[in-house]
Amino acid sequence: PVGLNPTQQKTEQCCREDGYVVLDGLLTSQECDELRQRMAEIVERMDVPEHCRTTFSTYHDEQLKTQGNADYFITSGDRIRFFFEKGVFDDKGEFIVPKQRSLNKVGHALHAYEPLYEKVTHSPKVQGIAKKLGLVSPVILQSMFIFKQPGIGGEVTPHQDATFLYTEPLGRVMGVWIALEDATINNGCLWFIPGSHNSGITRRMVRTPKGTFPLTDFIGREQTYDDEKFVAAPVKKGGVILIHGQVVHRSAENTSEESRHVYTFHIMEAQQTRWSPDNWLQPTEDLPFPPLYT
């Protein structure tokens, strides 16, 4: 493309051909450590949601817990909330692992309410990447800190982000996945099917009609994928993976003794794009999707 230097051309070419690209050096080691330290402080002060401490004594209790989980998730788009790994609470709702090792992720509005995360999200480097890719009016949809805890960090099965973050037309969403520690095959790095972003999507997660439960459901069919087509994408601390919204990716469980901390957020090109009102995530009066270029 006109105006792009060779490095910029490689970025755009890889995103277009493979559906993802790994870039080194988005953040310094110190910046990564500062984000991790801030998250440790947030976790230390967190209040565990009541539904996580529900004791299973009856079927009704289990239903209340399930409903609580669903409400907590679907209203988290403009909040900072805590999502736990399986098996970290006993039957009385008390931790059986250290608090710092209990979480799967924290989301989905770190970019709006936490200054360090906001600074990284709107950094000149991130804005520069978006401009190199030709994004005119990008907005930030959501953000997460993903822990991938040592020994218990769960598998993320093959999926496409556009299943959950659907736009018309497709191809308007990009994930920005920043490694705050080395992401390796041993501790659960991402794996991709190169070129799979060219095949559309086969299912969507949508909100169900108001007053019904569950609050979300899937429409369409779940695709099965050949394991041999997946390619590992390890990335060094401070590096970033740009992820097309339709590329198929997954990560294995973390069976190592090392965590795999990540800060990730999603960007949408808002120009001539319709955000689906059926998506679980919706802008709110408190937090409209903020523009990246601020």
Side-chain angles (χ1 to χ4, degrees):
V2 175
L4 297 188
N5 65 37
T7 300
Q8 294 167 348
Q9 289 181 11
K10 179 182 178 183
T11 299
E12 178 157 325
Q13 182 179 0
C14 288
C15 284
R16 182 179 296 148
E17 294 180 359
D18 294 335
Y20 70 98
V21 63
V22 179
L23 302 172
D24 292 328
L26 182 75
L27 299 184
T28 66
S29 180
Q30 180 179 341
E31 288 172 322
C32 292
D33 293 343
E34 288 172 351
L35 290 173
R36 294 180 65 218
Q37 176 58 36
R38 178 57 189 147
M39 182 51 62
E41 295 167 359
I42 293 170
V43 173
E44 188 58 36
R45 297 201 313 268
M46 75 176 172
D47 293 322
V48 176
E50 189 60 35
H51 66 267
C52 293
R53 295 195 181 279
T54 301
T55 302
F56 284 168
S57 57
T58 66
Y59 175 75
H60 181 63
D61 287 336
E62 186 167 355
Q63 289 297 99
L64 286 176
K65 182 180 177 74
T66 302
Q67 177 80 47
N69 275 321
D71 288 338
Y72 188 75
F73 168 73
I74 206 167
T75 57
S76 67
D78 60 356
R79 300 287 185 270
I80 295 176
R81 290 188 169 169
F82 305 93
F83 302 89
F84 296 88
E85 291 286 357
K86 294 179 180 179
V88 299
F89 296 103
D90 62 19
D91 58 4
K92 296 180 180 178
E94 301 298 330
F95 285 113
I96 59 175
V97 300
K99 182 192 293 188
Q100 296 280 359
R101 299 279 289 269
S102 67
L103 284 155
N104 175 285
K105 69 177 182 179
V106 172
H108 290 91
L110 290 164
H111 63 281
Y113 302 125
E114 277 296 321
L116 277 178
Y117 292 88
E118 183 180 29
K119 180 180 177 182
V120 167
T121 306
H122 292 272
S123 70
K125 285 185 178 180
V126 171
Q127 292 186 9
I129 288 171
K131 290 174 181 176
K132 291 168 188 174
L133 293 173
L135 302 185
V136 177
S137 300
V139 296
I140 302 153
L141 302 175
Q142 64 166 2
S143 55
M144 298 176 283
F145 189 105
I146 302 175
F147 293 83
K148 203 73 164 180
Q149 303 284 3
I152 62 170
E155 174 189 15
V156 178
T157 56
H159 67 282
Q160 298 164 289
D161 292 343
T163 293
F164 310 94
L165 308 173
Y166 184 80
T167 61
E168 296 176 354
L170 282 169
R172 299 305 182 99
V173 171
M174 179 178 73
V176 180
W177 195 94
I178 306 170
L180 304 182
E181 302 177 283
D182 290 350
T184 69
I185 290 176
N186 290 334
N187 70 1
C189 71
L190 295 182
W191 294 68
F192 293 88
I193 299 181
S196 55
H197 62 300
N198 293 315
S199 301
I201 62 172
T202 60
R203 68 171 186 160
R204 290 179 55 198
M205 187 176 84
V206 297
R207 288 179 177 240
T208 53
K210 192 172 183 179
T212 62
F213 189 81
L215 303 180
T216 60
D217 200 1
F218 286 97
I219 57 175
R221 58 184 176 83
E222 186 171 7
Q223 183 81 3
T224 57
Y225 300 100
D226 184 351
D227 281 346
E228 294 183 357
K229 292 184 178 180
F230 283 92
V231 176
V235 56
K236 291 290 186 181
K237 179 179 181 179
V240 62
I241 308 180
L242 309 179
I243 305 172
H244 190 288
Q246 290 158 247
V247 71
V248 178
H249 56 291
R250 64 173 175 84
S251 66
E253 61 183 337
N254 183 5
T255 58
S256 77
E257 297 180 358
E258 304 293 332
S259 58
R260 192 221 64 189
H261 289 176
V262 165
Y263 174 55
T264 183
F265 55 94
H266 285 88
I267 295 170
M268 176 183 73
E269 171 57 82
Q271 187 178 70
Q272 298 181 333
T273 304
R274 178 179 179 269
W275 178 253
S276 174
D278 297 328
N279 288 337
W280 78 266
L281 175 68
Q282 293 297 322
T284 66
E285 189 173 324
D286 289 339
L287 183 62
F289 295 148
L292 177 67
Y293 298 150
T294 59

